[in-house]
Amino acid sequence: QVQLVESGGGVVQPGRSLRLACAVSGFTLRRYGVHWVRQTPGRGLEWVAVISYDGRDKDYGDSANGRFTISRDTSKNTVFLQMNSLRAEDTAVYYCAKGSSGSYYWIVDNWGQGVQVTVSS
Amino acid sequence: MLTQPHSVSESPGKTVTISCTRSSGSIASSYVQWHQQRPGSAPTTVILEDNQRPSGVPERFSASLDTSSNSASLTISGLKTEDEADYYCQSYVGNTVLFGGGTKLTVL
């Protein structure tokens, strides 16, 4: 059964960095893409980034703004989101989500439980 | 951009439809998904690839496209109180994923 478990969240000061991890099971990263999506309090879902099934393509939404980097370690079945120069407006729940297989990885079909990131001094 | 109504409400047992209108490009040019988010919970996917229900999603959930209005629709029949949630449409264009703003469904 597909599972995605996020970790690495917490409280961080503005300007600092944080790395989120998404440990996956029930599917292989070599066949499926993985997304990061965030949700600010009382707001909707905002797409952050995706890494393709072959790891070659990494794409980012406006919210990543050149400060975030997505990567993966297939040996650990884990996808990462490195967030630098964090701002108060990055405060959100961050979800990782599984994409469909192959080139259809733009289709989101499973979600993790989310991890809270709070940027505050 | 995907536009959804902010909120809808309906009574238990009735049928409700939530729309998702694409502002540019054809709604049929890329698959549309629908995600349900109950209060305090993570989203779950209730519709894939325009109109496919993932395993475990009740048949009460269905979806379609209307190219004349360039929109997608999620229909929930036989409403139950447990269907009260936020619903988000999701699609993609180029190398970008799009989410609608979400629709709050109240079952009263």
Side-chain angles (χ1 to χ4, degrees), chain B residues 23-68:
Chain B
S23 59
S24 63
S26 170
I27 190 70
S29 63
S30 49
Y31 285 122
V32 177
Q33 284 59 242
W34 290 90
H35 307 285
Q36 176 194 65
Q37 186 176 32
R38 293 187 172 118
S41 296
T44 62
T45 305
V46 294
I47 293 288
L48 289 170
E49 297 179 8
D50 297 339
N51 55 19
Q52 303 300 305
R53 282 187 313 276
S55 173
V57 175
E59 291 183 11
R60 304 184 295 106
F61 288 80
S62 63
S64 62
L65 300 184
D66 181 351
T67 53
S68 66

Side-chain angles (χ1 to χ4, degrees), chain A residues 28-77:
Chain A
T28 172
L29 293 178
R30 297 185 188 280
R31 286 193 59 199
Y32 297 88
V34 172
H35 300 258
W36 286 98
V37 178
R38 73 183 187 182
Q39 186 171 37
T40 50
R43 302 281 304 270
L45 301 172
E46 181 180 25
W47 180 66
V48 176
V50 66
I51 186 165
S52 63
Y53 62 98
D54 57 7
R56 294 179 183 176
D57 296 313
K58 303 173 185 179
D59 292 289
Y60 300 90
D62 291 341
S63 57
N65 206 15
R67 298 177 294 124
F68 296 177
T69 303
I70 192 170
S71 62
R72 71 181 192 176
D73 184 338
T74 54
S75 67
K76 296 181 179 178
N77 295 319

Side-chain angles (χ1 to χ4, degrees), chain A residues 39 47 95 106 108-109 111-112, chain B residues 35 37 42-43 45 48 88 90:
Chain A
Q39 186 171 37
W47 180 66
Y95 297 99
W106 302 101
V108 173
D109 62 15
W111 296 78
Chain B
H35 307 285
Q37 186 176 32
T45 305
L48 289 170
Y88 296 90
Q90 176 253 318

